[in-house]
Amino acid sequence: MEIKGVSIHHDRMEQIKNADNALNARTLWEKIKNWFGFGEEKKVIQLVKKTFFDYETNDFEKIKGFLKLRNLTADAYKENFFIEKKDDEIIFSISLNGNFNDEKRSFQYNINENRSDKVKLITDLILALERIEFNDLFIDAIDKFLEINVIDNENDKAKKEVINGLIVDNISRFRSESAFNRDYILKHKLYKEAKFDCELFPYKLKELIEIEKESIKESSICNTLLEKIELELFKDLSRMTLSIDSIPIADLKNKPKYLNEIEFKKLEFEKLKNEFKNWDENDKEILYSLLYQKGILEFKSFLMEQDPFSGLINVPYSGRTTINVIKEDSKNKIRIEIENKKSLQDKSTNNIENIKNLINTELAYVNEQHSNLVNLVSEELVGKPFSLNEYLNVAALDSTLSELLLVGNKITLEDHTKLIFEYDFENKTLILDNKSKYEYAILKY
């Protein structure tokens, strides 16, 4: 190499580069030397040089060096080491004065570039923890990974071992409490919205109807599936507010005095069926399945596959379902709007005594950390497609974990289901509008 006409041999360039690295390492050492015990100078300077200044060091060795440096520091300075994900970069940094926004020394790598299997596994762990907001466990996760012996092609097994270890070590953060008064509960609600595929549920519902149609042949109670669905829909009429083009069906406020409730329901049910008398049996099966609790219950089961935590939660308050059927005869389409709200604050359906009993119960409240735990287990230890049996198998591995993962035995503050369907009875297509949603409230702590 020539610099200003002077030729410098390659070996000499390497010496200069190494000298620069050593100088930089020495400079960094002077800034952090108080973090380490007596006699650690030589070891730390070599680690600093290799981790931050040696261009020949690969990503995995840099990561190991970073963790070794942190483990050598006194406890008071360990928080100066941090890992963060920004866009497509994983960044490993040392804050030189304890303030993350001030001077720091860092190295990073791009998650989209080809990396060794070990770096890929570390990346997977970081991304998994970031998704459920456990960023504070990045370093612990890598530490655990470095402690285990990873055999080739067993990255998935190693990842699960690390995550299991993280859960056990941090079990206290996931525990729920019940000693909260009503004011605290109502002020510390965290709303979350479930993620689900609107296009998929209509297919699932149609499949379930076909499966049920086959099973009904073995039943002696009903001759057809439609007959069974009509019986269930009749029972549910008094449990919901049903309207067709905003005209109420079986609203007891409209019951004539000379009719008892059953007689009134029968007349109203005939009025409902008359609205769809020209539909074929398959169309009626789909429509009526959406008009009683089956629609919401099947949707909740579907949620378990799409967003496990939202499918597992249980809101123990009463809530009334409102359904409005909007007919569009000229378009050969019908719109079904289903809404159900359950709320601790709703005094119309939950009287003060009921609320008081719930608050005084020993049941714990579902909280944010609990939600994160369930999502971590379902995404990383169970995976897709979600299996409740496999989820329960994971829970059974540890008695404490089993208690934490049983979501349904804890109180969720409220939920809101809004489903908007459109059925084309000419083309036999069912669509779930993307404005549909399921949201719920848990305790923020």
Side-chain angles (χ1 to χ4, degrees), residues 12-167:
R12 179 57 181 152
M13 283 300 300
E14 287 298 311
Q15 289 178 352
I16 293 170
K17 185 172 73 173
N18 289 335
D20 287 343
N21 289 345
L23 180 61
N24 288 330
R26 169 69 62 178
T27 302
L28 182 55
W29 161 254
E30 290 299 326
K31 294 180 179 181
I32 63 174
K33 62 184 179 182
N34 292 332
W35 301 2
F36 301 91
F38 180 76
E40 301 283 9
E41 179 178 349
K42 184 176 179 181
K43 184 190 297 184
V44 171
I45 289 177
Q46 286 300 317
L47 274 173
V48 166
K49 176 185 170 184
K50 186 176 180 181
T51 304
F52 291 100
F53 302 107
D54 191 338
Y55 302 106
E56 301 300 320
T57 306
N58 63 44
D59 292 325
F60 183 61
E61 292 301 322
K62 284 185 177 183
I63 294 169
K64 285 205 302 184
F66 181 83
L67 270 294
K68 284 179 183 177
L69 280 170
R70 182 180 182 274
N71 292 336
L72 286 171
T73 61
D75 289 344
Y77 299 100
K78 291 190 188 303
E79 289 188 1
N80 293 342
F81 291 74
F82 61 100
I83 303 170
E84 57 189 331
K85 178 183 173 289
K86 286 188 176 179
D87 300 323
D88 292 333
E89 300 280 334
I90 305 291
I91 306 167
F92 297 74
S93 303
I94 298 178
S95 172
L96 302 184
N97 57 9
N99 187 331
F100 294 164
N101 295 320
D102 290 341
E103 186 181 4
K104 57 190 174 187
R105 174 61 61 182
S106 306
F107 67 86
Q108 63 275 326
Y109 65 86
N110 189 296
I111 62 175
N112 297 319
E113 295 176 0
N114 287 330
R115 302 286 166 187
S116 69
D117 285 346
K118 290 181 179 180
V119 174
K120 285 178 184 175
L121 194 149
I122 288 171
T123 304
D124 285 348
L125 284 167
I126 289 174
L127 295 179
L129 293 170
E130 187 213 23
R131 275 194 295 272
I132 41 90
E133 300 174 7
F134 283 173
N135 300 40
D136 58 308
L137 297 181
F138 287 172
I139 287 177
D140 289 348
I142 300 173
D143 255 339
K144 284 194 173 299
F145 165 65
L146 296 177
E147 289 173 2
I148 63 178
N149 180 30
V150 182
I151 302 171
D152 290 343
N153 301 317
E154 289 195 355
N155 274 15
D156 188 58
K157 182 179 177 181
K159 184 168 122 177
K160 289 183 177 181
E161 184 178 337
V162 170
I163 289 173
N164 266 318
L166 286 175
I167 291 170

Side-chain angles (χ1 to χ4, degrees), residues 288-325:
Y288 293 169
S289 291
L290 294 173
L291 296 187
Y292 73 103
Q293 289 299 314
K294 180 182 178 65
I296 288 181
L297 292 174
E298 294 296 359
F299 177 73
K300 280 284 284 183
S301 297
F302 166 75
L303 271 182
M304 195 178 294
E305 300 173 10
Q306 298 274 301
D307 188 337
F309 185 79
S310 60
L312 289 167
I313 59 176
N314 174 43
V315 183
Y317 320 126
S318 57
R320 194 168 182 83
T321 301
T322 302
I323 300 176
N324 190 25
V325 180

Side-chain angles (χ1 to χ4, degrees), residues 177-178 180-192 300 309 313-319 340-347 349-350 355 358-359 361 363-368 370 407-416 438-445:
E177 296 180 35
S178 55
F180 298 112
N181 61 42
R182 186 169 186 268
D183 289 339
Y184 180 92
I185 293 166
L186 296 179
K187 287 177 183 176
H188 292 80
K189 288 188 288 189
L190 175 67
Y191 289 90
K192 295 206 168 196
K300 280 284 284 183
F309 185 79
I313 59 176
N314 174 43
V315 183
Y317 320 126
S318 57
N340 180 279
K341 285 184 178 181
K342 298 177 184 177
S343 173
L344 180 65
Q345 238 173 336
D346 188 357
K347 294 186 177 69
T349 53
N350 300 284
I355 293 172
L358 282 168
I359 290 176
T361 184
L363 286 176
Y365 290 90
V366 175
N367 62 47
E368 186 178 10
H370 185 198
V407 180
N409 66 351
K410 297 175 178 63
I411 296 177
T412 311
L413 301 179
E414 60 190 53
D415 72 358
H416 178 201
Y438 176 75
E439 62 181 2
Y440 54 93
I442 57 178
L443 202 58
K444 184 175 178 59
Y445 77 91

Side-chain angles (χ1 to χ4, degrees), residues 286-423:
I286 291 172
L287 173 65
Y288 293 169
S289 291
L290 294 173
L291 296 187
Y292 73 103
Q293 289 299 314
K294 180 182 178 65
I296 288 181
L297 292 174
E298 294 296 359
F299 177 73
K300 280 284 284 183
S301 297
F302 166 75
L303 271 182
M304 195 178 294
E305 300 173 10
Q306 298 274 301
D307 188 337
F309 185 79
S310 60
L312 289 167
I313 59 176
N314 174 43
V315 183
Y317 320 126
S318 57
R320 194 168 182 83
T321 301
T322 302
I323 300 176
N324 190 25
V325 180
I326 303 162
K327 297 176 72 177
E328 299 180 6
D329 293 328
S330 61
K331 298 179 183 178
N332 296 314
K333 290 180 181 177
I334 196 164
R335 187 176 174 86
I336 306 110
E337 298 177 349
I338 305 169
E339 192 158 11
N340 180 279
K341 285 184 178 181
K342 298 177 184 177
S343 173
L344 180 65
Q345 238 173 336
D346 188 357
K347 294 186 177 69
S348 63
T349 53
N350 300 284
N351 62 44
I352 294 295
E353 194 61 35
N354 286 342
I355 293 172
K356 188 188 296 182
N357 289 339
L358 282 168
I359 290 176
N360 291 336
T361 184
E362 292 183 0
L363 286 176
Y365 290 90
V366 175
N367 62 47
E368 186 178 10
Q369 295 290 349
H370 185 198
S371 166
N372 289 339
L373 170 66
V374 171
N375 286 327
L376 181 65
V377 170
S378 59
E379 288 178 18
E380 304 302 331
L381 301 186
V382 177
K384 301 281 184 162
F386 179 79
S387 161
L388 182 58
N389 286 337
E390 194 167 338
Y391 178 84
L392 294 175
N393 287 339
V394 172
L397 295 175
D398 182 275
S399 58
T400 308
L401 188 58
S402 177
E403 178 191 346
L404 290 171
L405 292 177
L406 292 176
V407 180
N409 66 351
K410 297 175 178 63
I411 296 177
T412 311
L413 301 179
E414 60 190 53
D415 72 358
H416 178 201
T417 307
K418 185 176 183 180
L419 304 177
I420 304 168
F421 293 94
E422 186 180 273
Y423 186 62

